[in-house]
Short mmCIF file of all heavy atoms in Angstrom, two decimals:
data_model
loop_
_atom_site.label_atom_id
_atom_site.label_comp_id
_atom_site.label_asym_id
_atom_site.label_seq_id
_atom_site.Cartn_x
_atom_site.Cartn_y
_atom_site.Cartn_z
N ILE N 189 165.35 184.26 -193.69
CA ILE N 189 164.79 185.09 -192.61
C ILE N 189 165.09 184.44 -191.26
O ILE N 189 165.50 185.10 -190.29
CB ILE N 189 163.33 185.30 -192.76
CG1 ILE N 189 163.03 186.08 -194.12
CG2 ILE N 189 162.70 186.13 -191.61
CD1 ILE N 189 161.51 186.19 -194.41
N GLY N 190 164.86 183.15 -191.19
CA GLY N 190 165.14 182.44 -189.91
C GLY N 190 166.59 182.47 -189.59
O GLY N 190 167.00 182.64 -188.41
N ASP N 191 167.48 182.34 -190.61
CA ASP N 191 168.91 182.37 -190.37
C ASP N 191 169.37 183.75 -189.82
O ASP N 191 170.15 183.81 -188.88
CB ASP N 191 169.67 182.04 -191.66
CG ASP N 191 169.39 180.71 -192.20
OD1 ASP N 191 168.98 179.81 -191.41
OD2 ASP N 191 169.59 180.45 -193.38
N GLY N 192 168.74 184.80 -190.35
CA GLY N 192 169.05 186.15 -189.81
C GLY N 192 168.61 186.34 -188.44
O GLY N 192 169.29 186.91 -187.58
N LEU N 193 167.44 185.79 -188.10
CA LEU N 193 166.89 185.83 -186.75
C LEU N 193 167.81 185.03 -185.79
O LEU N 193 168.05 185.45 -184.64
CB LEU N 193 165.52 185.35 -186.68
CG LEU N 193 164.42 186.23 -187.34
CD1 LEU N 193 163.09 185.54 -187.52
CD2 LEU N 193 164.25 187.51 -186.51
N PHE N 194 168.31 183.87 -186.22
CA PHE N 194 169.20 183.08 -185.40
C PHE N 194 170.50 183.80 -185.12
O PHE N 194 171.01 183.80 -183.97
CB PHE N 194 169.50 181.76 -186.09
CG PHE N 194 168.34 180.78 -186.14
CD1 PHE N 194 168.22 179.95 -187.21
CD2 PHE N 194 167.45 180.73 -185.13
CE1 PHE N 194 167.16 179.05 -187.25
CE2 PHE N 194 166.33 179.89 -185.20
CZ PHE N 194 166.21 179.02 -186.27
N LEU N 195 171.06 184.53 -186.09
CA LEU N 195 172.28 185.26 -185.88
C LEU N 195 172.02 186.44 -184.91
O LEU N 195 172.87 186.69 -184.04
CB LEU N 195 172.78 185.80 -187.24
CG LEU N 195 173.55 184.82 -188.12
CD1 LEU N 195 173.82 185.45 -189.44
CD2 LEU N 195 174.84 184.35 -187.43
N ALA N 196 170.84 187.05 -184.99
CA ALA N 196 170.49 188.13 -184.08
C ALA N 196 170.37 187.56 -182.65
O ALA N 196 170.76 188.20 -181.66
CB ALA N 196 169.25 188.80 -184.52
N ALA N 197 169.77 186.38 -182.53
CA ALA N 197 169.60 185.75 -181.22
C ALA N 197 170.98 185.43 -180.63
O ALA N 197 171.24 185.60 -179.44
CB ALA N 197 168.80 184.49 -181.33
N ALA N 198 171.89 185.00 -181.49
CA ALA N 198 173.29 184.67 -181.02
C ALA N 198 173.94 185.94 -180.50
O ALA N 198 174.63 185.88 -179.47
CB ALA N 198 174.06 184.05 -182.15
N LEU N 199 173.76 187.03 -181.18
CA LEU N 199 174.38 188.31 -180.74
C LEU N 199 173.76 188.69 -179.38
O LEU N 199 174.52 189.12 -178.53
CB LEU N 199 174.10 189.38 -181.81
CG LEU N 199 174.53 190.80 -181.42
CD1 LEU N 199 176.01 190.90 -181.12
CD2 LEU N 199 174.13 191.80 -182.51
N SER N 200 172.47 188.52 -179.26
CA SER N 200 171.85 188.89 -177.97
C SER N 200 172.40 188.05 -176.83
O SER N 200 172.68 188.55 -175.74
CB SER N 200 170.33 188.70 -178.11
OG SER N 200 169.65 189.19 -177.00
N TRP N 201 172.59 186.78 -177.08
CA TRP N 201 173.08 185.85 -176.03
C TRP N 201 174.54 186.17 -175.72
O TRP N 201 174.99 186.11 -174.55
CB TRP N 201 172.90 184.46 -176.40
CG TRP N 201 173.25 183.49 -175.32
CD1 TRP N 201 174.47 182.91 -175.04
CD2 TRP N 201 172.36 183.03 -174.29
NE1 TRP N 201 174.37 182.06 -173.97
CE2 TRP N 201 173.10 182.15 -173.39
CE3 TRP N 201 171.02 183.30 -173.99
CZ2 TRP N 201 172.54 181.55 -172.30
CZ3 TRP N 201 170.48 182.67 -172.86
CH2 TRP N 201 171.24 181.80 -172.08
N ALA N 202 175.34 186.50 -176.77
CA ALA N 202 176.78 186.84 -176.48
C ALA N 202 176.88 188.07 -175.63
O ALA N 202 177.69 188.14 -174.71
CB ALA N 202 177.42 187.11 -177.85
N VAL N 203 176.04 189.10 -175.86
CA VAL N 203 176.01 190.30 -175.08
C VAL N 203 175.66 189.93 -173.59
O VAL N 203 176.29 190.45 -172.66
CB VAL N 203 175.07 191.42 -175.61
CG1 VAL N 203 174.95 192.54 -174.71
CG2 VAL N 203 175.56 191.82 -176.99
N PHE N 204 174.66 189.10 -173.46
CA PHE N 204 174.27 188.66 -172.11
C PHE N 204 175.41 188.03 -171.39
O PHE N 204 175.69 188.35 -170.25
CB PHE N 204 173.08 187.66 -172.25
CG PHE N 204 172.95 186.75 -171.12
CD1 PHE N 204 172.52 187.16 -169.85
CD2 PHE N 204 173.31 185.41 -171.25
CE1 PHE N 204 172.41 186.28 -168.81
CE2 PHE N 204 173.17 184.47 -170.26
CZ PHE N 204 172.76 184.95 -169.01
N GLY N 205 176.09 187.05 -172.05
CA GLY N 205 177.22 186.45 -171.36
C GLY N 205 178.35 187.35 -170.96
O GLY N 205 178.90 187.27 -169.89
N LEU N 206 178.68 188.31 -171.83
CA LEU N 206 179.72 189.24 -171.51
C LEU N 206 179.35 190.21 -170.43
O LEU N 206 180.19 190.54 -169.53
CB LEU N 206 180.08 190.02 -172.79
CG LEU N 206 180.80 189.23 -173.88
CD1 LEU N 206 180.85 190.02 -175.19
CD2 LEU N 206 182.19 188.91 -173.44
N LEU N 207 178.05 190.64 -170.34
CA LEU N 207 177.63 191.54 -169.29
C LEU N 207 177.60 190.77 -167.92
O LEU N 207 177.98 191.33 -166.89
CB LEU N 207 176.19 192.02 -169.59
CG LEU N 207 176.16 193.06 -170.72
CD1 LEU N 207 174.73 193.44 -170.97
CD2 LEU N 207 176.94 194.32 -170.34
N MET N 208 177.21 189.48 -167.95
CA MET N 208 177.19 188.75 -166.74
C MET N 208 178.60 188.66 -166.15
O MET N 208 178.81 188.81 -164.95
CB MET N 208 176.73 187.34 -167.01
CG MET N 208 175.21 187.17 -167.09
SD MET N 208 174.31 187.32 -165.48
CE MET N 208 174.93 185.86 -164.64
N ARG N 209 179.60 188.46 -166.97
CA ARG N 209 180.96 188.35 -166.52
C ARG N 209 181.50 189.70 -166.08
O ARG N 209 182.19 189.83 -165.10
CB ARG N 209 181.87 187.74 -167.63
CG ARG N 209 183.29 187.53 -167.19
CD ARG N 209 184.12 186.77 -168.22
NE ARG N 209 185.48 186.66 -167.86
CZ ARG N 209 186.01 185.75 -166.97
NH1 ARG N 209 185.17 184.86 -166.38
NH2 ARG N 209 187.28 185.71 -166.68
N ARG N 210 181.22 190.76 -166.88
CA ARG N 210 181.71 192.07 -166.57
C ARG N 210 181.18 192.61 -165.23
O ARG N 210 181.90 193.18 -164.42
CB ARG N 210 181.36 193.07 -167.70
CG ARG N 210 181.89 194.46 -167.49
CD ARG N 210 181.53 195.37 -168.66
NE ARG N 210 182.00 196.68 -168.46
CZ ARG N 210 183.31 197.11 -168.76
NH1 ARG N 210 184.13 196.25 -169.31
NH2 ARG N 210 183.65 198.36 -168.58
N TRP N 211 179.85 192.36 -165.02
CA TRP N 211 179.22 192.89 -163.77
C TRP N 211 179.40 191.93 -162.59
O TRP N 211 179.04 192.25 -161.50
CB TRP N 211 177.76 193.09 -164.06
CG TRP N 211 177.50 194.28 -164.89
CD1 TRP N 211 178.35 195.36 -165.11
CD2 TRP N 211 176.30 194.54 -165.71
NE1 TRP N 211 177.75 196.21 -166.01
CE2 TRP N 211 176.50 195.77 -166.40
CE3 TRP N 211 175.13 193.83 -165.89
CZ2 TRP N 211 175.55 196.36 -167.24
CZ3 TRP N 211 174.12 194.39 -166.74
CH2 TRP N 211 174.37 195.63 -167.33
N GLN N 212 179.97 190.70 -162.85
CA GLN N 212 180.21 189.68 -161.81
C GLN N 212 178.98 189.42 -160.99
O GLN N 212 178.97 189.38 -159.77
CB GLN N 212 181.31 190.18 -160.85
CG GLN N 212 182.71 190.12 -161.53
CD GLN N 212 183.14 188.67 -161.85
OE1 GLN N 212 183.30 187.85 -161.01
NE2 GLN N 212 183.35 188.42 -163.15
N ILE N 213 177.85 189.22 -161.73
CA ILE N 213 176.61 188.88 -161.11
C ILE N 213 176.58 187.36 -160.86
O ILE N 213 176.87 186.58 -161.73
CB ILE N 213 175.43 189.28 -161.97
CG1 ILE N 213 175.34 190.80 -162.03
CG2 ILE N 213 174.14 188.73 -161.43
CD1 ILE N 213 174.26 191.37 -162.89
N ARG N 214 176.22 186.95 -159.64
CA ARG N 214 176.17 185.52 -159.28
C ARG N 214 175.19 184.85 -160.30
O ARG N 214 174.07 185.33 -160.53
CB ARG N 214 175.75 185.34 -157.85
CG ARG N 214 176.78 185.77 -156.85
CD ARG N 214 176.17 185.82 -155.49
NE ARG N 214 175.62 184.55 -155.07
CZ ARG N 214 174.92 184.33 -154.00
NH1 ARG N 214 174.61 185.44 -153.17
NH2 ARG N 214 174.44 183.15 -153.68
N PRO N 215 175.58 183.70 -160.88
CA PRO N 215 174.74 183.03 -161.84
C PRO N 215 173.31 182.83 -161.45
O PRO N 215 172.37 183.08 -162.14
CB PRO N 215 175.52 181.75 -162.11
CG PRO N 215 176.95 182.05 -161.80
CD PRO N 215 176.88 183.03 -160.71
N GLN N 216 173.14 182.30 -160.18
CA GLN N 216 171.81 182.01 -159.73
C GLN N 216 170.94 183.28 -159.62
O GLN N 216 169.73 183.22 -159.93
CB GLN N 216 171.81 181.24 -158.43
CG GLN N 216 172.51 181.90 -157.24
CD GLN N 216 173.96 181.58 -157.14
OE1 GLN N 216 174.67 181.54 -158.18
NE2 GLN N 216 174.49 181.38 -155.90
N LEU N 217 171.58 184.34 -159.21
CA LEU N 217 170.78 185.59 -159.07
C LEU N 217 170.49 186.22 -160.45
O LEU N 217 169.45 186.74 -160.67
CB LEU N 217 171.58 186.61 -158.22
CG LEU N 217 171.80 186.23 -156.80
CD1 LEU N 217 172.49 187.39 -156.03
CD2 LEU N 217 170.49 185.85 -156.09
N GLY N 218 171.46 186.08 -161.36
CA GLY N 218 171.25 186.53 -162.70
C GLY N 218 170.06 185.86 -163.39
O GLY N 218 169.29 186.48 -164.08
N ILE N 219 170.00 184.54 -163.28
CA ILE N 219 168.93 183.80 -163.86
C ILE N 219 167.61 184.11 -163.22
O ILE N 219 166.57 184.20 -163.92
CB ILE N 219 169.26 182.26 -163.77
CG1 ILE N 219 170.54 181.96 -164.56
CG2 ILE N 219 168.10 181.45 -164.41
CD1 ILE N 219 170.66 182.55 -165.90
N LEU N 220 167.60 184.28 -161.93
CA LEU N 220 166.34 184.69 -161.24
C LEU N 220 165.85 186.02 -161.77
O LEU N 220 164.65 186.24 -161.99
CB LEU N 220 166.55 184.78 -159.78
CG LEU N 220 166.82 183.48 -158.98
CD1 LEU N 220 167.07 183.80 -157.51
CD2 LEU N 220 165.62 182.50 -159.10
N GLY N 221 166.80 186.97 -161.97
CA GLY N 221 166.42 188.29 -162.51
C GLY N 221 165.92 188.26 -163.93
O GLY N 221 164.89 188.87 -164.25
N ILE N 222 166.55 187.45 -164.81
CA ILE N 222 166.09 187.33 -166.14
C ILE N 222 164.68 186.76 -166.24
O ILE N 222 163.78 187.32 -166.86
CB ILE N 222 167.03 186.42 -166.93
CG1 ILE N 222 168.37 187.12 -167.18
CG2 ILE N 222 166.44 185.98 -168.25
CD1 ILE N 222 169.43 186.21 -167.87
N ALA N 223 164.44 185.68 -165.47
CA ALA N 223 163.14 185.09 -165.44
C ALA N 223 162.05 185.96 -164.92
O ALA N 223 160.96 186.13 -165.45
CB ALA N 223 163.19 183.76 -164.66
N SER N 224 162.36 186.72 -163.85
CA SER N 224 161.39 187.61 -163.19
C SER N 224 161.01 188.77 -164.09
O SER N 224 159.88 189.09 -164.26
CB SER N 224 161.98 188.06 -161.80
OG SER N 224 162.21 186.98 -160.96
N PHE N 225 162.04 189.47 -164.59
CA PHE N 225 161.72 190.64 -165.39
C PHE N 225 161.07 190.23 -166.71
O PHE N 225 160.28 191.01 -167.22
CB PHE N 225 163.03 191.46 -165.66
CG PHE N 225 163.34 192.41 -164.56
CD1 PHE N 225 164.39 192.11 -163.66
CD2 PHE N 225 162.67 193.63 -164.44
CE1 PHE N 225 164.68 192.97 -162.65
CE2 PHE N 225 163.01 194.46 -163.42
CZ PHE N 225 163.97 194.22 -162.47
N SER N 226 161.45 189.07 -167.29
CA SER N 226 160.84 188.68 -168.50
C SER N 226 159.37 188.36 -168.25
O SER N 226 158.49 188.61 -169.12
CB SER N 226 161.52 187.41 -169.04
OG SER N 226 162.89 187.67 -169.41
N LEU N 227 159.05 187.76 -167.08
CA LEU N 227 157.64 187.44 -166.74
C LEU N 227 156.82 188.74 -166.68
O LEU N 227 155.78 188.83 -167.32
CB LEU N 227 157.64 186.72 -165.44
CG LEU N 227 156.26 186.58 -164.78
CD1 LEU N 227 155.44 185.52 -165.53
CD2 LEU N 227 156.35 186.18 -163.29
N VAL N 228 157.27 189.75 -165.89
CA VAL N 228 156.45 190.89 -165.65
C VAL N 228 156.35 191.82 -166.82
O VAL N 228 155.41 192.57 -166.97
CB VAL N 228 156.97 191.67 -164.40
CG1 VAL N 228 156.92 190.81 -163.14
CG2 VAL N 228 158.37 192.20 -164.64
N THR N 229 157.34 191.78 -167.76
CA THR N 229 157.24 192.63 -168.94
C THR N 229 156.54 191.94 -170.14
O THR N 229 155.82 192.59 -170.89
CB THR N 229 158.63 193.11 -169.38
OG1 THR N 229 159.48 191.93 -169.57
CG2 THR N 229 159.23 193.93 -168.30
N TYR N 230 156.76 190.66 -170.31
CA TYR N 230 156.29 189.99 -171.52
C TYR N 230 154.81 189.47 -171.30
O TYR N 230 154.01 189.64 -172.24
CB TYR N 230 157.23 188.83 -171.86
CG TYR N 230 156.69 188.02 -173.05
CD1 TYR N 230 156.86 188.54 -174.31
CD2 TYR N 230 156.10 186.80 -172.91
CE1 TYR N 230 156.40 187.85 -175.45
CE2 TYR N 230 155.62 186.13 -174.00
CZ TYR N 230 155.76 186.64 -175.25
OH TYR N 230 155.31 185.93 -176.36
N MET N 231 154.50 188.80 -170.23
CA MET N 231 153.25 188.16 -170.07
C MET N 231 152.03 189.09 -170.21
O MET N 231 151.07 188.69 -170.90
CB MET N 231 153.23 187.37 -168.71
CG MET N 231 154.11 186.21 -168.69
SD MET N 231 153.92 185.03 -170.05
CE MET N 231 152.25 184.41 -169.70
N PRO N 232 152.05 190.31 -169.67
CA PRO N 232 150.87 191.20 -169.92
C PRO N 232 150.70 191.51 -171.41
O PRO N 232 149.59 191.54 -171.87
CB PRO N 232 151.25 192.45 -169.06
CG PRO N 232 152.16 191.98 -168.00
CD PRO N 232 152.98 190.86 -168.64
N VAL N 233 151.82 191.75 -172.12
CA VAL N 233 151.77 192.08 -173.52
C VAL N 233 151.24 190.83 -174.28
O VAL N 233 150.38 190.97 -175.17
CB VAL N 233 153.10 192.51 -174.08
CG1 VAL N 233 153.07 192.71 -175.55
CG2 VAL N 233 153.62 193.73 -173.30
N TYR N 234 151.73 189.70 -173.95
CA TYR N 234 151.30 188.45 -174.60
C TYR N 234 149.78 188.20 -174.40
O TYR N 234 149.03 187.90 -175.36
CB TYR N 234 152.07 187.27 -174.10
CG TYR N 234 151.56 185.91 -174.50
CD1 TYR N 234 151.73 185.45 -175.78
CD2 TYR N 234 150.88 185.13 -173.54
CE1 TYR N 234 151.21 184.19 -176.11
CE2 TYR N 234 150.32 183.93 -173.89
CZ TYR N 234 150.52 183.42 -175.17
OH TYR N 234 149.99 182.24 -175.54
N LEU N 235 149.35 188.32 -173.16
CA LEU N 235 147.95 187.99 -172.88
C LEU N 235 146.99 189.02 -173.47
O LEU N 235 145.88 188.68 -173.85
CB LEU N 235 147.79 188.01 -171.33
CG LEU N 235 148.44 186.81 -170.66
CD1 LEU N 235 148.40 187.00 -169.07
CD2 LEU N 235 147.88 185.45 -171.03
#
């Protein structure tokens, strides 16, 4: 089960990398966006 989840995580990261390159988003802005949107969408659900 863990191995399958790891493969799915790898697919998710691969898509992220390809989209970053395709959209030519500046790395620093891309990381700021990931962190910000993850915060506002995940933390309320978690809490």
Side-chain angles (χ1 to χ4, degrees):
I189 299 176
D191 296 339
L193 291 168
F194 289 147
L195 281 173
L199 174 60
S200 187
W201 188 267
V203 172
F204 155 72
L206 289 168
L207 287 177
M208 280 287 294
R209 182 171 176 82
R210 181 178 181 86
W211 290 338
Q212 288 295 298
I213 293 177
R214 291 168 57 191
Q216 58 269 42
L217 298 183
I219 300 311
L220 291 177
I222 289 174
S224 300
F225 276 103
S226 296
L227 170 72
V228 299
T229 56
Y230 178 76
M231 291 305 294
V233 176
Y234 167 76
L235 293 172

